[in-house]
Each structure stands twice: as C-alpha cells, then as structure tokens.
Amino acid sequence: MSTEPDRADGIDWRSETSDVEMSRRDRLNEFYEQKIYVPATVAWSDRRTRIGVLILSVYLLMAVVDLLGLWRDASPNQAGALLGPFENMAYPLGTTRSGVDLLALIIDSTPFILLMVLAGGVWATTLAVIVGTVSGYKGGTIDTVITAISDFFMAIPGLPLVIVLAIALSPENPLLLGVILTINYWAGLGRSIRSQVLSIREESYIEASRTMGTGSIRIIIKDVLPNIMPYVMVNFVFAARYTIFASVGLYFIGVLPYTGQNWGVTLNNGYRQGGLFTMDAFHWLLVPIVAIVGLAFGLVLLSQGMDRIFNPRVRTRLTGESESIEEEETDTTTEMI
C-alpha cells in the first residue's frame, strides 16, 4: 500500500493543484494591474481628473447628506428673510424672501439632478454607440435602415418635442425625465460615431480579425469601441450638460411640473422675487447658477482626464514612461545597496 496518497504514476497532484491556484491568482493580479490599477494611475496623473473628481465628489456628498437626512429640510421661516451668503454661518449660502435656507434647497435638489443627468447621458450615448457602431461596421441594408431612422429623429425639432412630451407625461421620476430630455439627442451623435467607424473598419488590424474568422460583435467590442471611447466619453458629458441645461430651462419657464425642489425652480423663484434687479436677492439667483455651472464644469474636466484611459496612444506612452521611471528607481536603489 502506497504511503504517498497524493502521488499516482509518478505525478504529484498537489504540486499541479498548487500551480493551478497560483495561475488563477496571477490572472487576478494581472486583471487588477491592467484593468484597474494602471488606468486609475494614468487618469489620476492628470490634474483635470483630480479636480473633476473633487468637484463631483462634492455633489455626491450633498446627495448622500440629503438621502441620510443630515441637513435640515427646506421650509419657510427657518431664518430671517434674504440673509446674504455667510452673513449667518448657520445658513452659509443665505436665505430666500420667505426665510428658506438656500443650502437646504440645493442639497434637496441634488439627488434628483444627478439621477436625471445620469439617465439622460447614459440613454443618449448608449443608444448612439449601438446605432453608430452597428450601422458603420455592418454597412449595406442595415446601414441604410438605421441611417434613415436616425435622419427621421434628427429632422424632428428637439425642444418642441420635449415640451410636448413633458406636458403630456408630466414626468416626476428623474430617470424618465432624463430620457425625455434626450429623446432624440442620440441621433446626431449616432451619425457622428458611424462616420468614425466607417474609417476604423478599413484598418489593417480590423481586416486581420475578420480574416481569422472573428465575430462581428467581438471585433466591435475589442477593436472598434476602444478607438472611439474618447469621443464617446466627451459626448456623454455633452449629453449630461444638455440634460442639466434643458431641465433647468424648462423648470424655469414652468413647462415641467413643480413637484419637488429643483435648481430650475429655485432660479425661477429667485427671478420672480427680484433677484435680477435688487442686490439683496441677487444671491438667490447666484447660488443655483453656481451649482449648475459647477456640475457641468466637473463633468467636462473628468471627461478630459479620462481621455488618458481611453486613448490607446496616450495610455501606452504614459504607461511606458511610468515603467521606465520605476526601472530607474530600482537601478538606483540597487546601486546604493
């Protein structure tokens, strides 16, 4: 009877199992290194990314504060009427004519705004990417049909369509509102993406993949999308900015229902109460404007910084520079030892 239960025919199964476990661990480490650590390092090396993340973190923090109820609710007669910014530190952004805390108004609106912006940006860019890549890569009848549909939506005036839908549906859900505001925004972006894919599909590496029998979906995901991601990322931000400005404008003119707090509603109330004509109420207009511009500016900076992740040339160059720096530091340390 053998005294080595883990050996059979001269093979050490324990050693092979250990090698398999090690290879899995190595694959996980490689995935973390290539997909998470290196992209994050490359993006974070850009000052615009750091500033954009900082700005957006402020808005996310305000959303969390509102959801957890860590700040007072916006209600009348909380303080004196028309307190200026930093006049009373308990109400750092001032108050309205009815004594409502403006900071509470902004915080109450933030979760709604962020969800609406996310829904509008994701809807417009996702649909545009699907339409543009499939149309540009496949060509033929598929391209003709998709292009005709895109042209039809592009021919519809966007703002009147949104106003009609807003009046008919009176959307209160931020996700639905984001989709309505960008209901035909995707069409123009889809045509632009199609134009880029038409040139990319003629590249030699795309042709090589087709020759080897690689499926269309895999080619689009592995070869086409990485090359258009910088453009897609920038246009996601444009769609998000469009959603912000369109919603604020429609709330300001009273098209969308006043069902809750919103920066456009605050802006409207400030204008109606003389914020444009009296300095005592000017901060009532200034606070929501700064909130709107700040969110749009943070998104733009983040998209510019993300270009280092999605642009293969920039990412390869920066990765090579970081590796050479690490090698130099290692050589220096070895020499000192």
Side-chain angles (χ1 to χ4, degrees):
M1 184 174 180
S2 175
T3 58
E4 299 182 4
D6 293 315
R7 283 184 179 274
D9 299 328
I11 300 176
D12 190 348
W13 295 105
R14 290 179 300 179
S15 175
E16 186 170 324
T17 302
S18 177
D19 292 342
V20 171
E21 291 177 353
M22 181 62 71
S23 65
R24 288 175 180 172
R25 186 159 55 247
D26 290 341
R27 286 197 296 270
L28 289 175
N29 290 336
E30 183 179 358
F31 176 82
Y32 169 77
E33 183 78 18
Q34 295 182 356
K35 302 298 184 181
I36 300 177
Y37 177 75
V38 171
T41 302
V42 170
W44 194 252
S45 65
D46 194 317
R47 184 181 304 170
R48 294 170 299 182
T49 304
R50 297 195 293 270
I51 297 175
V53 169
L54 178 62
I55 293 174
L56 296 181
S57 297
V58 172
Y59 287 91
L60 290 175
L61 178 61
M62 288 195 296
V64 171
V65 167
D66 178 66
L67 294 175
L68 296 180
L70 301 179
W71 192 259
R72 66 177 69 92
D73 293 331
S75 59
N77 302 318
Q78 292 179 317
L82 294 179
L83 290 177
F86 308 111
E87 183 177 335
N88 184 336
M89 294 310 296
Y91 309 93
L93 299 184
T95 61
T96 67
R97 191 175 296 278
S98 58
V100 180
D101 182 11
L102 275 174
L103 179 57
L105 285 174
I106 297 300
I107 291 176
D108 286 350
S109 306
T110 302
F112 184 95
I113 293 290
L114 293 183
L115 287 175
M116 179 188 64
V117 168
L118 181 63
V122 169
W123 159 260
T125 53
T126 301
L127 191 56
V129 167
I130 294 174
V131 167
T133 53
V134 172
S135 176
Y137 182 79
K138 298 297 290 185
T141 304
I142 295 177
D143 182 28
T144 302
V145 172
I146 293 178
T147 301
I149 295 174
S150 299
D151 290 342
F152 171 76
F153 277 95
M154 289 176 64
I156 301 175
L159 184 59
L161 175 62
V162 171
I163 292 176
V164 169
L165 291 175
I167 294 174
L169 300 177
S170 297
E172 300 180 7
N173 187 300
L175 301 179
L176 176 60
L177 179 58
V179 172
I180 289 175
L181 291 172
T182 55
I183 190 67
N184 67 337
Y185 186 91
W186 60 270
L189 177 56
R191 290 297 300 269
S192 301
I193 292 175
R194 171 185 174 274
S195 300
Q196 296 204 8
V197 174
L198 284 174
S199 61
I200 292 174
R201 75 174 184 178
E202 303 300 329
E203 296 289 342
S204 57
Y205 60 90
I206 300 290
E207 185 63 31
S209 297
R210 283 198 294 262
T211 303
M212 290 187 295
T214 306
S216 299
I217 296 178
R218 184 173 179 83
I219 292 175
I220 290 175
I221 294 175
K222 294 292 185 180
D223 297 326
V224 176
L225 286 181
N227 285 279
I228 63 173
M229 279 308 295
Y231 183 76
V232 171
M233 188 67 185
V234 169
N235 279 277
F236 169 80
V237 171
F238 288 161
R241 290 172 62 247
Y242 174 82
T243 306
I244 299 171
F245 298 148
S247 67
V248 169
L250 293 178
Y251 273 115
F252 182 79
I253 63 177
V255 172
L256 294 174
Y258 288 10
T259 55
Q261 301 300 338
N262 185 281
W263 298 341
V265 175
T266 304
L267 199 62
N268 186 319
N269 292 333
Y271 173 77
R272 290 175 178 275
Q273 296 296 323
L276 195 61
F277 308 105
T278 61
M279 289 304 299
D280 289 341
F282 180 70
H283 65 282
W284 196 348
L285 284 178
L286 183 62
V287 168
I289 290 174
V290 170
I292 295 164
V293 173
L295 180 56
F297 185 59
L299 288 170
V300 169
L301 289 178
L302 184 61
S303 71
Q304 292 175 346
M306 289 295 102
D307 181 64
R308 294 196 170 204
I309 291 180
F310 296 120
N311 191 323
R313 301 186 191 91
V314 176
R315 178 174 170 179
T316 301
R317 176 173 58 81
L318 292 174
T319 304
E321 291 177 358
S322 63
E323 289 178 352
S324 64
I325 292 173
E326 291 178 357
E327 290 177 359
E328 291 177 1
E329 292 177 350
T330 303
D331 294 340
T332 304
T333 305
T334 304
E335 292 176 359
M336 293 177 63
I337 294 176

